[in-house]
Amino acid sequence: MGKEIIAIAEALSNERAIPKEKIFEALESALATATKKKYPIDIDVRVEIDRKEGNYSTYRRWVVVDSDGPLDNPVQEISLAAAREEYPNISAGDIIEDEIPSVTFDRITIQTAKQVLSQRVKTAEREQLIAEQRDRLGHVVNATVKRTGRDSMILDLGNGADGILRRDQMIPHESFGRGDRIRVLLIDIRTEGKGPQLVCSRTAPEFLAELFRIEVPEIGEGVIEIMGVARDPGSRAKIAVRTKDKRIDPRGACIGMRGARVMAVSNELSGERIDVVLWDENLAQYVTNAMEPAEVSRIVINDDSHTIELAVPDANLALAIGRNGQNVRLASQVLGWNLQVKAESQMDKELEAESAQVVKFFVENLDIDEDFAQVLADAGFHTLEEVAYVPVEEFLEIEGLNADLVKALQENARNAIARHEESLKNQGAAELMQIQSIDTELALALVNKGIKTLEDLAEQAIDDLLDLGLDVQRAGDLIMEARNLTWFKDENTAAAPEGTAPEGSSAGTAQGEPAAAAQGAEQQ
């Protein structure tokens, strides 16, 4: 039988293009499975085939377990003490093997071995296919349309590999027939189900980047770097580039002589219009470049909200926004910022209104006249905190200010902040005192803890209030009453009979039940 096994391994290896070692491993697994079926108990078996002669030996295996009590699986386990009687140096976790008679090839054995071998060969083919395609992941591959359907196309990627191109990964209005050549980006390899699914795309931004990498040698060589890509597949795209070599124009290199390079990419993408954007470390200049062909006249950057407001000439507003907001949307995506485009006239009105509010606020809170307040607003001050805590040196850069005047101004600002905080504290205390059981002292204690509204109180856990000297019962009552007045207000109003107070309100809360309900909510 040895020669037959060698012949089987060589034939399968040549037929399926699988390494011979994988075939031997599959044969060993098949013989082990056939051997186990000959025994009435579930033993652990290992088969070893001689790679040269084809003869094979069979071994029964036990796992050494460090246990003094009964074994969980005595058919496949042996205690450490018993194992050391024959193998003194053995340790827990080691394997003991005893040779047993090898299975003979009768009808049942051949059938079992055939089934296992077939499955293992398919698994080996799948693993080999995945290994071959793993290197192509994230790259453009040439494919042939094998089969078309309503929601997807099956592609032949070569070497027996099939890919799937779903409808949502196709460029709109594209049409391909069986046998057509197509370029796609391999974006994922899914191993679940029957065989691997090689997922392809023509709409991914990375597809555009890879096409430029192919068409522009400078990108492949690393001289030009792609900084961002945004696409509206089949319609328009923006790609931002920069260079590490100041002698090279990255934008011109990507466009090519007479637009040859960018046109080649555009043709591959069904005529998708592509804007090549010059990246700049200056964010304002980068924004201006990304908004081309529209001209930007004013930029306001808000780091806190990660938003950039742009002003463009009124006549260019439609061009800046683009059809259905396409231009500003793609610019936002390539920049990674939220862009808001406005006409110059609109922004001027908003800035004037904002400046007027700031001036009025400063006049009311800093005890200064409108002219002085306007000077502060024009210098970029918008809040009391900025006036109170900005270094004195920055004020001295404003014409007409001296150290004494700045000191008095900042003192007024700090006093105004203190009054404002006190007012907010009193407002919060007044809202909390809608719950009848909260007096002024407790309300102020809650406000000082950061609980300034009924909504804040409703979101607390019982443990959060215990450091205020409240017991568990009262803390639960307060939380539940706050929830009834906020979260469940509409439900309680609808459920209460006409002329009666809603259940759980401050007008009539049963003692004990709210605390239990609050504790139950916390446990959930």
Side-chain angles (χ1 to χ4, degrees):
M1 191 64 194
K3 293 182 179 180
E4 286 83 348
I5 289 179
I6 296 294
I8 291 173
E10 289 181 349
L12 283 174
S13 177
N14 295 331
E15 178 184 347
R16 303 294 183 93
I18 299 175
K20 191 183 296 185
E21 183 60 30
K22 290 284 186 181
I23 302 297
F24 277 118
E25 291 175 1
L27 284 168
E28 289 173 342
S29 177
L31 290 171
T33 301
T35 302
K36 290 171 67 174
K37 288 193 173 184
K38 295 290 185 179
Y39 287 82
I41 55 178
D42 185 22
I43 64 174
D44 187 14
V45 174
R46 181 178 72 88
V47 174
E48 182 178 354
I49 299 176
D50 186 324
R51 300 314 195 242
K52 294 182 178 180
E53 302 296 331
N55 300 321
Y56 58 94
S57 302
T58 308
Y59 302 90
R60 181 177 177 181
R61 295 155 53 91
W62 288 270
V63 179
V64 179
V65 179
D66 188 4
S67 174
D68 296 332
L71 299 173
D72 294 335
N73 186 6
V75 176
Q76 298 183 11
E77 296 176 345
I78 185 172
S79 68
L80 180 61
R84 282 183 173 171
E85 292 181 2
E86 187 173 353
Y87 306 97
N89 297 325
I90 204 164
S91 302
D94 291 345
I95 303 294
I96 293 178
E97 293 185 340
D98 286 341
E99 188 170 0
I100 59 176
S102 297
V103 68
T104 57
F105 277 86
D106 55 16
R107 182 180 61 83
I108 297 176
T109 302
I110 293 173
Q111 184 178 4
T112 302
K114 183 179 179 181
Q115 293 174 348
V116 175
L117 180 61
S118 175
Q119 182 61 40
R120 289 297 297 269
V121 168
K122 288 181 180 178
T123 301
E125 286 180 328
R126 185 161 58 246
E127 291 174 351
Q128 183 170 338
L129 181 59
I130 292 173
E132 291 175 353
Q133 298 299 326
R134 190 74 66 184
D135 293 337
R136 305 170 76 184
L137 191 62
H139 293 282
V140 175
V141 295
N142 294 317
T144 304
V145 177
K146 192 174 183 179
R147 187 170 66 254
T148 61
R150 180 176 181 181
D151 298 322
S152 63
M153 288 194 307
I154 303 301
L155 308 176
D156 181 2
L157 305 183
N159 297 326
D162 288 344
I164 182 170
L165 182 65
R166 295 189 176 89
R167 178 61 58 185
D168 60 348
Q169 296 297 330
M170 301 180 193
I171 295 176
H173 312 302
E174 276 190 330
S175 179
F176 295 97
R178 183 177 179 181
D180 288 348
R181 299 286 294 173
I182 184 174
R183 298 171 89 182
V184 295
L185 182 76
L186 184 59
I187 61 173
D188 194 14
I189 299 177
R190 299 176 183 173
T191 58
E192 70 274 8
K194 295 182 179 180
Q197 278 194 323
L198 306 179
V199 184
C200 303
S201 174
R202 283 178 57 82
T203 62
E206 295 80 7
F207 184 44
L208 176 64
E210 286 300 310
L211 289 175
F212 266 100
R213 201 180 307 278
I214 294 170
E215 293 293 336
V216 183
E218 292 87 347
I219 295 179
E221 295 168 1
V223 178
I224 294 177
E225 184 178 0
I226 297 175
M227 303 302 295
V229 179
R231 291 184 65 191
D232 193 351
S235 177
R236 191 173 177 184
K238 289 181 182 287
I239 178 170
V241 294
R242 72 169 181 178
T243 180
K244 299 177 182 178
D245 189 341
K246 300 299 182 181
R247 298 170 299 177
I248 295 178
D249 174 18
R251 193 164 179 263
C254 291
I255 294 175
M257 186 70 68
R258 297 182 180 177
R261 291 175 173 177
V262 72
M263 188 60 66
V265 176
S266 177
N267 291 338
E268 177 61 40
L269 301 176
S270 297
E272 189 170 312
R273 178 184 168 190
I274 303 170
D275 297 334
V276 181
V277 176
L278 182 61
W279 181 90
D280 199 293
E281 60 183 358
N282 184 313
L283 181 57
Q285 184 60 50
Y286 188 22
V287 172
T288 302
N289 296 343
M291 286 298 296
E292 291 181 352
E295 295 181 2
V296 178
S297 58
R298 190 179 303 161
I299 298 175
V300 179
I301 300 174
N302 189 331
D303 289 313
D304 294 334
S305 61
H306 209 63
T307 299
I308 301 177
E309 293 186 0
L310 308 176
V312 299
D314 291 30
N316 288 339
L317 181 60
L319 179 63
I321 295 175
R323 185 176 57 185
N324 298 323
Q326 185 182 67
N327 188 56
V328 67
R329 183 175 66 252
L330 292 176
S332 296
Q333 293 173 5
V334 80
L335 288 164
W337 285 72
N338 180 25
L339 301 185
Q340 297 179 356
V341 179
K342 300 177 181 178
E344 281 183 339
S345 58
Q346 180 185 356
M347 181 170 281
D348 288 340
K349 291 179 181 178
E350 292 178 357
L351 291 176
E352 289 175 3
E354 182 182 345
S355 178
Q357 290 179 353
V358 171
V359 170
K360 181 180 178 182
F361 181 72
F362 282 166
V363 169
E364 293 174 350
N365 290 275
L366 296 178
D367 193 22
I368 58 178
D369 58 24
E370 289 189 6
D371 292 339
F372 194 1
Q374 187 66 57
V375 170
L376 293 177
D378 292 342
F381 293 94
H382 297 90
T383 66
L384 292 175
E385 286 76 13
E386 290 175 347
V387 176
Y389 302 112
V390 163
V392 176
E393 292 76 12
E394 295 191 22
F395 280 100
L396 297 180
E397 295 177 1
I398 302 175
E399 185 178 356
L401 295 187
N402 55 51
D404 292 336
L405 185 57
V406 171
K407 182 178 179 181
L409 180 65
Q410 291 192 319
E411 184 65 27
N412 288 348
R414 295 189 185 101
N415 292 336
I417 292 172
R419 291 194 303 271
H420 186 61
E421 290 178 348
E422 186 67 24
S423 175
L424 291 177
K425 183 184 296 184
N426 292 334
Q427 291 176 11
E431 179 176 342
L432 293 172
M433 289 173 65
Q434 292 181 41
I435 299 176
Q436 292 182 357
S437 58
I438 296 181
D439 55 20
T440 303
E441 182 180 356
L442 178 56
L444 291 175
L446 289 169
V447 171
N448 289 331
K449 188 178 174 64
I451 305 171
K452 300 178 181 179
T453 65
L454 289 173
E455 187 73 30
D456 292 340
L457 180 56
E459 293 174 352
Q460 302 303 306
I462 291 177
D463 292 343
D464 296 333
L465 304 185
L466 298 182
D467 59 350
L468 298 176
L470 304 177
D471 56 26
V472 173
Q473 175 71 27
R474 191 178 180 199
D477 288 344
L478 294 178
I479 293 171
M480 200 58 200
E481 287 191 59
R483 291 175 181 176
N484 285 333
L485 291 172
T486 53
W487 299 356
F488 313 128
K489 180 179 179 180
D490 294 338
E491 298 177 12
N492 291 334
T493 302
E498 184 178 355
T500 64
E503 183 181 355
S505 70
S506 57
T509 302
Q511 296 297 319
E513 293 182 2
Q519 294 181 50
E522 294 305 323
Q523 292 173 359
Q524 293 177 1

